[in-house]
């Protein structure tokens, strides 16, 4: 059934250019036609979502940013040492899902100060995030060589593969946690296959910890995470001419401490029908029906090992923050 819908939408969009908007339409149709319903967290990030995420990073409850910032600010030298970069070799520093680059700037400043030769290539699905990052870097590090790349990192890997210089890939902020284990395994295999021998990855992951620390990060007192989650409905209203009533849905985060998986849902408060004009379709929601919008997987060494088992990536180093909440793993590509 879903496959039929998907095929017919694919036919429709084949005649249009494969714009981001067409993919958004197709993903919304697929997600809201499924049981249970789901939407990809990558669609949180438009101009409004980017600004809300910056607010989230500044919330006292969102320990992830401060923890990883602690590593980038206070263990910069150890981090660079683990990357084994020769000062005379030109390399590409590629960040997948760069966002506002707040932590990366600590590394960039160090590399710049120490005269390393590199080009910084931030990749993000949000052009707005890239524009903001480029503007701020032009001010803070005017000599930095920077090339932004807009796109979904799953697709951008194809282009990255063709870059000839040695590579250091940054995949920070527990971005990998937004993939389920099966997606993470496939992604890391694809990433491993885009690299050459001795290229490196810095993988930032949130470590499994207790519910009293994790859950407030996705359910803050001020309601910023709630606004962030609801923004995906507001985005469909703006871009797909939908008529979601934001007051008729609520934000519901959950955390399973044993598995180390946090998830966010939107829950319909009432029986309701929503029209999405651009799709020329209506979708029914019953009272208490959920839309799954985000997974935030937490890790430990053995889960990571399992994710990497079919890749040519080996853990070379592991740096943690002072509270042991977060880890940046340095992975080495061992074969061609
Ligand atoms: C949780 S934020 C983390 C930002 C930054 N890496 C950090 O650690 O602060 C996720 C970022 O990745 C981007 N993003 C999310 N899904 C993406 C995808 N599939 N492809 C490319 N960028 C994506 C978002 O636009 C956002 O800037």
């Amino acid at each position: 059934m879903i496959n039929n819908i998907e095929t017919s939408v694919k036919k429709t969009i084949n005649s249009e250019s494969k714009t981001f908007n067409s993919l958004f339409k197709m993903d919304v149709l697929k997600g809201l036609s499924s049981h249970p319903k789901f939407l990809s967290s990558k669609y949180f990030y438009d101009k409004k979502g980017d600004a809300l995420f910056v607010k989230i990073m500044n919330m006292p409850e969102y320990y992830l940013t401060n923890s990883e910032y602690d590593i980038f600010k206070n263990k910069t030298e150890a981090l660079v040492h683990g990357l084994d970069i020769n000062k005379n070799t030109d390399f590409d520093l590629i960040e997948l899902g760069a966002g506002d680059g707040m932590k990366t700037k600590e590394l960039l400043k160090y590399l710049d100060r120490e005269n390393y030769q590199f080009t910084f290539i931030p990749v993000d699905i949000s052009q707005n995030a890239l524009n903001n990052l480029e503007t701020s870097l032009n001010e803070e590090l005017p000599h930095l060589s920077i090339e932004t790349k807009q796109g979904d990192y799953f697709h951008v890997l194809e282009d990255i593969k063709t870059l000839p210089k040695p590579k250091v890939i940054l995949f920070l902020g527990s971005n990998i946690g937004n993939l389920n284990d099966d997606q993470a395994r496939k992604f890391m295999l694809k990433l491993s296959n885009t690299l050459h021998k001795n290229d490196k990855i810095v993988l930032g992951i949130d470590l499994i910890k207790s519910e009293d620390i994790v859950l407030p990060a996705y359910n803050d007192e001020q309601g910023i995470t709630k606004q962030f989650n609801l923004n995906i409905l507001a985005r469909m209203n703006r871009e797909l001419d939908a008529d979601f009533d934001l007051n008729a849905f609520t934000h519901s985060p959950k955390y399973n401490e044993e598995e180390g998986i946090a998830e966010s849902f939107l829950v319909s408060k009432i029986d309701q029908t929503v029209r999405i004009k651009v799709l020329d379709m209506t979708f029914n929601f019953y009272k208490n029906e959920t839309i799954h919008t985000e997974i935030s997987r937490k890790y430990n060494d053995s889960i990571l090992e399992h994710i990497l088992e079919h890749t040519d990536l080996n853990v070379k180093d592991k740096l943690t923050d002072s509270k042991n909440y977060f880890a940046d793993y340095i992975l080495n590509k061992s074969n061609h």
Side-chain angles (χ1 to χ4, degrees), residues 50-66:
D50 292 341
L52 285 167
F53 190 71
V54 170
K55 276 193 183 174
I56 287 175
M57 290 197 301
N58 288 319
M59 297 178 341
E61 295 94 335
Y62 199 75
Y63 60 86
L64 287 87
T65 306
N66 280 342

Side-chain angles (χ1 to χ4, degrees), residues 42 45 53 57 95 97-99 103 124-125 151-153 172-173 175:
K42 69 183 175 189
Y45 301 93
F53 190 71
M57 290 197 301
E95 177 159 12
K103 294 159 283 187
D124 207 288
I125 202 155
D152 188 318
Y153 30 65
L172 310 182
N175 279 4

Side-chain angles (χ1 to χ4, degrees), residues 143-298:
H143 303 297
L144 182 75
S145 160
I146 168 167
E147 287 170 19
T148 62
K149 199 155 187 44
Q150 192 272 331
D152 188 318
Y153 30 65
F154 270 92
H155 306 141
V156 166
L157 291 185
E158 296 300 325
D159 301 341
I160 290 175
K161 197 173 184 170
T162 62
L163 299 173
K165 292 182 207 162
K167 298 177 193 67
V168 174
I169 308 279
L170 304 177
F171 198 30
L172 310 182
S174 210
N175 279 4
I176 192 175
N178 292 144
L179 306 176
N180 65 37
D181 289 359
D182 189 42
Q183 292 167 330
R185 258 193 300 276
K186 286 184 183 141
F187 182 77
M188 291 311 289
L189 182 62
K190 197 168 175 188
L191 180 53
S192 168
N193 291 339
T194 65
L195 301 182
H196 294 121
K197 191 173 178 179
N198 291 331
D199 283 347
K200 301 285 185 296
I201 299 172
V202 182
L203 183 66
I205 59 180
D206 193 16
L207 300 170
I208 293 181
K209 60 187 83 59
S210 61
E211 179 172 324
D212 59 311
I213 301 170
V214 173
L215 205 47
Y218 303 94
N219 198 23
D220 61 295
E221 297 230 315
Q222 289 181 72
I224 302 169
T225 39
K226 178 180 174 186
Q227 282 179 56
F228 184 62
N229 201 2
L230 285 168
N231 183 50
I232 205 161
L233 303 183
R235 185 173 189 183
M236 288 189 276
N237 286 351
R238 285 191 292 272
E239 295 182 23
L240 303 181
D241 214 351
D243 62 0
F244 281 97
D245 173 3
L246 270 53
N247 293 316
F249 288 85
T250 187
H251 166 63
S252 170
K254 292 190 169 51
Y255 178 60
N256 180 328
E257 193 174 311
E258 237 166 79
E259 282 185 300
I261 295 178
E263 288 176 290
S264 293
F265 298 87
L266 288 163
V267 183
S268 178
K269 291 185 190 167
I270 49 169
D271 289 331
Q272 56 181 315
T273 300
V274 173
R275 179 166 166 71
I276 303 186
K277 228 175 171 179
V278 163
L279 293 174
D280 196 18
M281 282 185 78
T282 54
F283 296 90
N284 296 322
F285 295 84
Y286 57 82
K287 188 176 175 184
N288 294 330
E289 184 172 1
T290 58
I291 312 173
H292 183 276
T293 52
E294 189 175 41
I295 175 172
S296 302
R297 212 268 185 263
K298 314 296 167 195

